[in-house]
């Protein structure tokens, strides 16, 4: 499959020289990550993983938002799944993030507006993040009563350190672009609407560098920070299976839609 001529349903893909650009394109759901979109993102990443003719891959969303996160409505895409089927479906997010992390070219994410939940997990699986003013990252999972999964906790911790990782994940509060820059979540804050242009500037700088040591550096740094990642996260989908069946999760979702504080009992 040629990823640049393939007819994608939920992605817009273009190539400019040695730079690939991929835009999430599911506007009716604010780029929420359902199974179909995640499968396309995974397929694209795997198709370009070892492409030596690419120096950078830019991932972006819409002009005013990146992604609303994992699509809760997608849970109804399977009719009465068994526990085993649900557990297998739970690998769609981790597989997608792993596929983007494994791309040998340098990956850049251009973020405008909100980047929530699974969208944030995807962004931290890439090499660099550039945010427009007014953009923010947020993980709503823990306040809703479920764990943060998709094997993203080691990536978050490597970027911002353990205390800020706990703060970011536990409280589920929006972290704006300037705070993300200060913490290490993002690498540049551009003017609102200019994140993609800034990412293209980064890509041009990368294209001017000798590609072999760039790829070697990426691989070595990723290996240095990923030593205990699997041991820390191999159970997170089973943790999700547990927490998503809890009374606290049902209460968290109900409280969210009723716009009130949750009343959690640890059940």
């Amino acid at each position: 499959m040629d990823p640049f001529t393939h007819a994608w349903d939920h992605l817009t893909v273009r190539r400019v020289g040695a730079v690939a650009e991929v835009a999430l394109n599911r506007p009716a759901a604010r780029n929420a990550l359902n199974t179909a979109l995640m499968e396309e993102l995974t397929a694209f990443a795997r198709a370009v993983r070892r492409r030596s003719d690419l120096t950078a891959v830019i991932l972006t969303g819409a002009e005013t938002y990146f992604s609303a996160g994992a699509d809760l409505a997608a849970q109804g895409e399977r009719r009465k799944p068994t526990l085993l089927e649900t557990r297998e479906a739970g690998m769609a997010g981790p597989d997608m993030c792993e596929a983007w992390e494994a791309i040998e070219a340098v990956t850049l994410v251009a973020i405008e507006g909100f980047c929530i939940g699974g969208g944030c997990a995807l962004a931290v699986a890439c090499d660099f993040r550039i945010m427009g003013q007014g953009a923010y990252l947020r993980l709503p999972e823990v306040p809703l009563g479920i764990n943060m999964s998709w094997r993203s906790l080691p990536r978050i911790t490597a970027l911002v350190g353990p205390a800020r990782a706990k703060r970011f994940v536990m409280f589920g509060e929006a972290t704006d672009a300037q705070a993300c820059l200060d913490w290490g979540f993002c690498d540049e804050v551009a003017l609102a609407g200019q994140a993609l242009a800034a990412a293209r500037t980064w890509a041009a700088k990368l294209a001017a560098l000798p590609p072999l040591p760039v790829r070697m550096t990426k691989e070595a740094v990723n290996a240095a920070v990923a030593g205990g990642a699997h041991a820390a996260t191999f159970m997170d989908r089973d943790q999700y299976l547990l927490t998503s069946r809890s009374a606290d999760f049902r209460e968290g979702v109900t409280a969210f839609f009723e716009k009130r504080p949750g009343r959690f009992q640890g059940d």
Side-chain angles (χ1 to χ4, degrees), residues 129-185:
R129 285 146 297 282
I130 298 167
M131 300 176 69
Q133 290 177 348
Y136 65 87
L137 306 181
R138 184 169 75 88
L139 295 180
E141 282 79 1
V142 169
L144 286 174
I146 56 175
N147 67 309
M148 183 59 207
S149 56
W150 291 15
R151 299 182 177 175
S152 56
L153 291 181
R155 299 182 183 112
I156 293 170
T157 305
L159 288 171
V160 303
R164 283 174 171 164
K166 292 170 187 174
R167 174 179 171 182
F168 179 65
V169 176
M170 289 178 182
F171 292 109
E173 297 170 342
T175 304
D176 65 32
Q178 186 58 52
C180 286
L181 182 64
D182 294 341
W183 287 14
F185 263 135

Side-chain angles (χ1 to χ4, degrees), residues 207-250:
L209 295 172
L212 187 57
V214 169
R215 293 192 178 209
M216 289 177 172
T217 300
K218 170 175 175 169
E219 184 176 8
V221 172
N222 284 355
V225 299
H230 179 72
T233 61
F234 80 99
M235 285 291 290
D236 71 4
R237 64 168 165 163
D238 291 320
Q239 292 168 353
Y240 172 78
L241 288 179
L242 173 64
T243 56
S244 65
R245 283 161 172 73
S246 68
D248 276 353
F249 175 60
R250 293 190 294 274

Side-chain angles (χ1 to χ4, degrees), residues 2 38 61 67 87 149:
D2 183 340
M38 288 191 287
S67 173
R87 188 174 189 268
S149 56

